[in-house]
Amino acid sequence: MEKIEQAIAHWKKRTGYHTLSVKAALIDMDGTLYDSMTNHTAAWYRLMTEQGVDCTRDEFYLYEGMTGASTITRLWKRQWGLTPTDEQIKELYHRKTLYFNECPRVSPMPGAQSMVAKLLKNNVTTVLVTGSGQPSVLDRLSGEFPGAFDENHRVTARNVTHGKPHPEPYLKGMTLVGTEPWESIAIENAPIGVESAVASGAFTIALTTGPIPAEALEAAGADLVLPSMESLDLLIDRLCSIH
Ligand code: CA
């Protein structure tokens, strides 16, 4: 279990905190709890190519975690040097949602339901921290992760002024359940989300669940990088028992 100890040493060094005592787990949704990134990248790619924006399917993995408005603004600026209006953003994001809903139904990430159940068994409070406002997935949380992400345990695109990579979403998650950074772990899968979690001071775990390589997650500052949600599921009881 040397890997966990090394990761905690990394976290202590960068934050200056002395003890990790896990009381809350702040968890990203797309690509972490749900295997939904293939659908998101397909929907974004379809929307943007229709618009005449030059882009690749894979680049949308890198924008993962950003709010939809930020992604749209970024690509418009790059393509035409234009900033879309709020009305245009709203219309485009609505279309992106329609395209997402036409994709095959997404499944919980293998290992995620078991991992979340273990957190609850260890009396760790769970909070969803997502840049997504995708109702089709948000609506399924209560059924597929019972007792974990009720309405008052969610930070979504609607609740924040600054989306990831700003620390606000993770700090807001801590405020929501009354925990400090040294009592909080964050679970992410994308560099922008990792940056947000790291900046909040939470012990940050990154999972490689798609084409983003481990090196990119390490470079974003993750304290612990694991190859899958299943591998986190195997370690979570031990992490919860560290004091
Ligand atoms: Ca994600």
Side-chain angles (χ1 to χ4, degrees):
M1 289 300 156
E2 206 181 313
K3 199 167 179 178
I4 288 188
E5 277 131 33
Q6 275 176 6
I8 291 173
H10 180 271
W11 170 80
K12 284 181 180 172
K13 197 174 164 197
R14 75 172 175 82
T15 59
Y17 298 139
H18 300 293
T19 324
L20 178 68
S21 176
V22 184
K23 296 204 170 88
L26 314 168
I27 313 176
D28 168 59
M29 184 168 78
D30 293 301
T32 301
L33 286 177
Y34 284 95
D35 196 2
S36 46
M37 279 314 297
T38 313
N39 288 3
H40 279 293
T41 55
W44 277 121
Y45 183 70
R46 181 176 164 193
L47 178 77
M48 287 299 169
T49 48
E50 270 180 10
Q51 293 269 301
V53 172
D54 299 313
C55 56
T56 65
R57 194 175 287 253
D58 273 0
E59 76 173 280
F60 294 101
Y61 283 102
L62 297 174
Y63 308 147
E64 195 192 330
M66 279 188 196
T67 61
S70 304
T71 301
I72 292 164
T73 304
R74 183 189 189 107
L75 292 191
W76 272 50
K77 277 190 179 157
R78 187 180 75 193
Q79 186 74 29
W80 300 298
L82 292 175
T83 305
T85 63
D86 288 351
E87 207 47 47
Q88 285 168 322
I89 287 174
K90 213 174 139 192
E91 198 274 320
L92 288 168
Y93 192 68
H94 175 68
R95 262 165 62 199
K96 188 256 168 178
T97 301
L98 296 179
Y99 295 165
F100 179 87
N101 290 342
E102 286 175 22
C103 295
R105 185 182 161 91
V106 299
S107 309
M109 192 64 73
Q113 287 168 302
S114 165
M115 197 281 296
V116 168
K118 284 179 188 170
L119 285 170
L120 295 177
K121 220 173 77 196
N122 282 287
N123 295 317
V124 172
T125 305
T126 45
V127 185
L128 182 80
V129 180
T130 179
S132 174
Q134 202 78 55
S136 62
V137 185
L138 285 167
D139 289 350
R140 289 171 49 191
L141 281 165
S142 303
E144 286 168 340
F145 295 93
F149 307 109
D150 299 336
E151 294 284 346
N152 56 347
H153 282 206
R154 291 181 193 178
V155 178
T156 73
R158 293 184 203 101
N159 312 123
V160 294
T161 311
H162 306 285
K164 303 171 186 178
H166 195 280
E168 186 186 336
Y170 278 98
L171 292 173
K172 204 147 211 169
M174 292 177 207
T175 307
L176 206 57
V177 294
T179 57
E180 300 292 340
W182 57 89
E183 298 168 325
S184 306
I185 60 171
I187 306 170
E188 266 289 348
N189 76 307
I192 286 169
V194 168
E195 281 177 41
S196 168
V198 165
S200 78
F203 177 79
T204 304
I205 302 162
L207 312 175
T208 52
T209 62
I212 299 166
E215 294 73 34
L217 300 169
E218 279 159 15
D223 298 302
L224 177 63
V225 181
L226 297 171
S228 63
M229 178 58 91
E230 284 156 318
S231 50
L232 176 60
D233 182 37
L234 295 175
L235 292 183
I236 200 70
D237 278 333
R238 182 174 147 74
L239 198 60
C240 291
S241 69
I242 285 171
H243 289 289

